[in-house]
């Protein structure tokens, strides 16, 4: 994976090295920034890069900025246009991970207001082994920060230190990824991904009031499960003790896509291999993302196309 040569800063394409913020900025000092991670999928047959569910991500970026009372707001249409400019300037022809960040540039103390910057990067991203082989998960002793303290629904950079502690613990203890419980002791999510399990043939997942990000992938998967795979979906509280009863389990998210979970706390899920329904879902999900399945064209933003804007 090569470092890109350019990025987008306040709508201008600049050399990669210029993507800096000052050490006194509120973004640096307090994590006063909000962001979105998006995926672009290359389709060889179409000679096209499709960005998955761009409007939904960029509307959430708008929501996060409004929530933080930023003085000026980068609206979805503007960010989309800058993102398309960058991907075209880079002539992206492979799978990419795109990050759009709106941040407080100034050093206001304690970072309440100030000028807002926008940075967009796109980095090539190969398919990780974990999507194929699955991951081991650990129920973390770190609690998910509750909505009354730092809402996970808002994609604030600073939030990610909570999941980071859990991820560090999981790694130190020999697991691939953590699963976090919330202040009520109910299952919440992983550091950057949501949790879904298959129990009695139904897909069960924490509802959106369990201190999770309202994941766009989760919403996509709910639709696919219900409409394309005729699987019943239940959003509710999940107890820790239920995890052992799951036939299958997986993480989902823009970066984690659909990643099977093969064990939790060293107890195997199913037969310890990625489950059949998870496999079927992965195939369908990736097909929709890269456009090899024609359905849901409205979820794919074609980049190398003048109709894209
Ligand atoms: N939860 C958290 C905390 C995340 O950061 C992410 C990644 N954005 C997700 C869940 C998955 O959300 P999405 O499907 O919208 O990427």
């Amino acid at each position: 994976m090569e470092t890109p040569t350019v990025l987008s800063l306040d709508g201008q394409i600049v050399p990669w090295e210029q993507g800096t913020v000052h050490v006194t900025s509120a973004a640096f000092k307090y994590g006063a920034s909000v962001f979105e991670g998006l995926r672009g999928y290359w389709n060889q047959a179409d000679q096209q890069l499709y960005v998955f569910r761009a409007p939904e991500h960029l509307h959430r970026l708008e929501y996060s900025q409004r929530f933080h009372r930023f003085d000026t707001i980068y609206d979805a249409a503007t960010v989309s246009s800058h993102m398309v400019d960058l991907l075209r300037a880079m002539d992206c022809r492979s799978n990419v991970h795109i990050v759009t960040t709106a941040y407080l540039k100034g050093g206001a103390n304690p970072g309440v207001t100030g000028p807002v910057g926008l940075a967009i990067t796109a980095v090539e991203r190969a398919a990780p082994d974990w999507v194929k082989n699955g991951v081991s998960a650990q129920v973390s002793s770190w609690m998910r920060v509750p909505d009354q303290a730092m809402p996970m629904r808002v994609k604030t950079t600073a939030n990610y230190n909570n999941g980071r502690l859990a991820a560090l613990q999981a790694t130190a203890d020999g697991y691939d990824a953590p699963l976090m419980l919330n202040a009520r002791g109910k299952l919440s999510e992983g550091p950057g991904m949501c949790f879904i399990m298959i129990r009695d043939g139904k897909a069960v997942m924490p509802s959106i009031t369990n201190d999770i990000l309202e994941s766009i992938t989760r919403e996509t998967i709910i639709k696919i499960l219900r409409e394309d795979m005729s699987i019943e979906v239940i959003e509710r509280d999940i107890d820790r003790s239920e995890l052992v009863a799951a036939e299958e389990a997986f993480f989902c998210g823009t970066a984690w896509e659909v990643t099977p979970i093969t064990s939790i706390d060293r107890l195997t899920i199913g037969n310890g291999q990625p489950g059949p329904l998870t496999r079927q879902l992965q195939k369908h999900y990736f097909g929709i993302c890269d456009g090899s399945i024609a359905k849901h064209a409205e979820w794919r933003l074609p980049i190398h196309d003048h109709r894209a804007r």
Side-chain angles (χ1 to χ4, degrees), residues 23 242 257:
V23 289
E242 282 188 77
E257 300 171 313

Side-chain angles (χ1 to χ4, degrees), residues 23-62:
V23 289
T24 60
S25 70
F28 182 79
K29 285 196 290 185
Y30 311 113
S33 59
V34 296
F35 73 107
E36 281 298 319
L38 301 88
R39 276 291 179 106
Y41 290 89
W42 175 248
N43 183 311
Q44 185 67 21
D46 295 0
Q47 288 292 295
Q48 185 58 272
L49 181 75
Y50 293 112
V51 176
F52 195 59
R53 306 208 66 177
E56 290 83 357
H57 278 284
L58 300 179
H59 277 123
R60 191 167 65 189
L61 187 70
E62 231 181 275

Side-chain angles (χ1 to χ4, degrees), residues 35-38 57 60 144 152 155 159-160 189-195 211-220 252-257 285:
F35 73 107
E36 281 298 319
L38 301 88
H57 278 284
R60 191 167 65 189
R144 199 54 160 160
M152 289 297 145
K155 214 165 151 55
N159 285 1
Y160 286 78
E189 60 176 351
M193 62 285 199
C194 284
F195 174 83
D211 305 292
I212 68 170
L213 181 73
E214 291 185 19
S215 156
I216 292 157
T217 315
R218 176 185 173 282
E219 193 248 332
T220 302
C252 72
T254 297
W256 284 71
E257 300 171 313
Y285 178 76

Side-chain angles (χ1 to χ4, degrees), residues 126 143 181 232:
M143 185 183 84
L181 306 179
E232 191 179 332

Side-chain angles (χ1 to χ4, degrees), residues 293-302:
I293 293 175
K295 219 171 170 188
H296 292 301
E298 75 281 7
W299 286 347
R300 294 183 292 273
L301 174 69

Side-chain angles (χ1 to χ4, degrees), residues 31-200:
S33 59
V34 296
F35 73 107
E36 281 298 319
L38 301 88
R39 276 291 179 106
Y41 290 89
W42 175 248
N43 183 311
Q44 185 67 21
D46 295 0
Q47 288 292 295
Q48 185 58 272
L49 181 75
Y50 293 112
V51 176
F52 195 59
R53 306 208 66 177
E56 290 83 357
H57 278 284
L58 300 179
H59 277 123
R60 191 167 65 189
L61 187 70
E62 231 181 275
Y63 161 78
S64 295
Q65 292 172 83
R66 279 212 329 274
F67 186 88
H68 276 278
R69 300 172 193 266
F70 280 7
D71 287 349
T72 55
I73 308 283
Y74 274 102
D75 63 62
T78 303
V79 180
S80 185
S81 156
H82 295 331
M83 178 184 74
V84 171
D85 284 346
L86 176 68
L87 295 170
R88 286 183 180 166
M90 291 174 70
D91 195 25
C92 269
R93 288 169 187 279
S94 59
N95 290 354
V96 282
H97 190 233
I98 303 152
V99 178
T100 61
T101 308
Y103 57 99
L104 291 191
K105 291 173 169 180
N109 199 355
V112 175
T113 58
V116 179
L118 177 74
I120 309 175
T121 55
V123 177
E124 205 176 307
R125 189 74 164 256
D129 285 345
W130 65 45
V131 169
K132 210 174 342 134
N133 304 331
V135 293
S136 61
Q138 173 190 45
V139 177
S140 186
S141 60
W142 287 104
M143 185 183 84
R144 199 54 160 160
V145 178
D147 192 74
Q148 309 96 293
M150 280 235 298
M152 289 297 145
R153 180 174 284 102
V154 184
K155 214 165 151 55
T156 313
T157 310
N159 285 1
Y160 286 78
N161 282 297
N162 176 226
R164 185 170 170 275
L165 294 178
L168 287 171
Q169 180 192 24
T171 307
D173 292 349
Y175 297 85
D176 296 321
L179 257 175
M180 303 177 80
L181 306 179
N182 61 23
R184 294 186 298 118
K186 304 299 176 188
L187 204 78
S188 178
E189 60 176 351
M193 62 285 199
C194 284
F195 174 83
I196 301 179
M197 67 178 180
I198 307 297
R199 199 176 166 195
D200 300 327

